[in-house]
Amino acid sequence: MAHDETAGRLVLAATPIGNVDDASARLRTLLETADVVAAEDTRRLRVLAARLGVEVRGRVVSHHEHNEASRSDELLDVVAGGGTVVVVTDAGMPAVSDPGFRVVTAAVQAGLPVTAAPGPSAVLTALALSGLPTDRFCFEGFVPRKPGERARTLAALADERRTMVFFEAPHRLEALLGAMVEAFGADRPAAVCRELTKTYEEVLRGPLAELAQWAAGEVRGEIVVVVGGATRPAGGGDLTALVAQVRARVDAGERLKDAARAVAAAAGVPTRTLYEAALPSAGTRPTP
């Protein structure tokens, strides 16, 4: 449907994820002409506008995860009155692991126009650079911080066939990659993308175990992790043979958890899947 440029509208506008030259001409125009700019961080918006050489003439309001629900009505009142509201986040596309979803949902429910000014995306940039299949993928965002919840989340993804994209803070990267080794197997191909589009951009590709070892050092910057999908279900036809290998090692005196980890690493299957499959044949449940 054609859009009436004179009517009110809500616009989700993508901002650069690193290199300011990636800002679109449309973003510049929107920042200059919008009635209201709703920014995740108003200070960062002012810095971006200065770097772009544009003047934000409209009203600037904060719009972040803590006030998004309460701010939505105010923003939609502007749209309903015929004004243009531009939503921006600190980097990338609003509503993708960033504020924006609630106000879009509210606008749709109210029958108000919603559009987007597309642009940079850390998810798509990392996916394209990873060297992993791009025909089918899923975005998982940040996994839980607590070890137990993180392990359960990743275990549920062990059989996922699509390429997976995750966000993570640099100081938690080592723990995440270690948990991925346990859940997906040491040999699962992956890529760690750091500081995308910035001066010190770096993309490391390799098996999860190698990337986890690399992450044991100091890591800085914005991080995106891309992981290849499962090539076969973790409970495939060869699982019985692997369980037999684990049982043989346990019978020889090895702890079940250690045996499962060693066999899983050699076979490239998730440790947790093999461990749980081997439990019935081990007789008693060992201490984790």
Side-chain angles (χ1 to χ4, degrees):
M1 295 177 62
H3 176 66
D4 180 2
E5 293 293 334
T6 64
R9 55 181 176 152
L10 178 73
V11 186
L12 303 180
T15 55
I17 61 175
N19 192 323
V20 72
D21 290 336
D22 292 335
S24 68
R26 190 175 175 200
L27 172 65
R28 297 169 189 264
T29 299
L30 285 167
L31 291 179
E32 290 182 324
T33 62
D35 296 289
V36 175
V37 177
E40 183 177 10
D41 186 324
T42 58
R43 292 167 299 179
R44 290 195 180 190
L45 170 65
R46 298 295 187 187
V47 171
L48 174 62
R51 295 181 67 187
L52 294 176
V54 302
E55 179 184 357
V56 181
R57 300 186 180 92
R59 183 161 57 96
V60 176
V61 299
S62 63
H63 179 250
H64 47 71
E65 63 177 331
H66 301 296
N67 73 351
E68 184 177 5
S70 60
R71 182 74 78 183
S72 294
D73 288 344
E74 175 187 340
L75 298 178
L76 296 186
D77 283 345
V78 175
V79 176
T84 295
V85 173
V86 173
V87 176
V88 295
T89 60
D90 293 343
M93 193 71 196
V96 181
S97 195
D98 273 328
F101 170 74
R102 289 184 177 87
V103 70
V104 169
T105 300
V108 171
Q109 292 175 344
L112 295 172
V114 182
T115 187
S121 164
V123 176
L124 296 181
T125 302
L127 179 67
L129 292 177
S130 69
L132 297 168
T134 60
D135 54 336
R136 298 179 68 240
F137 70 94
C138 59
F139 173 57
E140 296 295 328
F142 289 93
V143 300
R145 299 182 181 185
K146 295 182 179 179
E149 294 178 8
R150 180 173 56 216
R152 287 189 289 273
T153 297
L154 295 176
L157 294 170
D159 291 345
E160 175 58 63
R161 299 296 191 95
R162 297 171 293 181
T163 299
M164 297 169 281
V165 184
F166 301 85
F167 285 166
E168 189 53 283
H171 63 279
R172 291 196 298 268
L173 180 61
E174 180 183 3
L176 172 66
L177 293 174
M180 286 179 167
V181 169
E182 292 285 331
F184 303 151
D187 295 329
R188 182 77 72 90
V192 174
C193 305
R194 190 180 71 86
E195 294 290 86
L196 289 171
T197 77
K198 299 179 182 178
T199 302
Y200 299 104
E201 176 180 287
E202 183 178 24
V203 180
L204 293 97
R205 306 172 183 87
L208 279 171
E210 292 184 10
L211 294 176
Q213 185 176 11
W214 166 81
E218 184 178 12
V219 180
R220 295 181 179 181
E222 301 288 335
I223 303 292
V224 184
V225 178
V226 186
V227 182
T231 56
R232 64 178 182 276
D238 61 350
L239 189 60
T240 300
L242 296 179
V243 168
Q245 293 181 40
V246 172
R247 183 170 185 177
R249 296 176 72 132
V250 171
D251 289 344
E254 194 170 352
R255 292 176 68 244
L256 175 59
K257 189 172 184 178
D258 294 336
R261 180 182 294 110
V263 174
V269 301
T271 299
R272 180 179 292 273
T273 298
L274 185 55
Y275 175 82
E276 292 178 351
L279 280 174
S281 63
T284 59
R285 187 183 186 93
T287 302

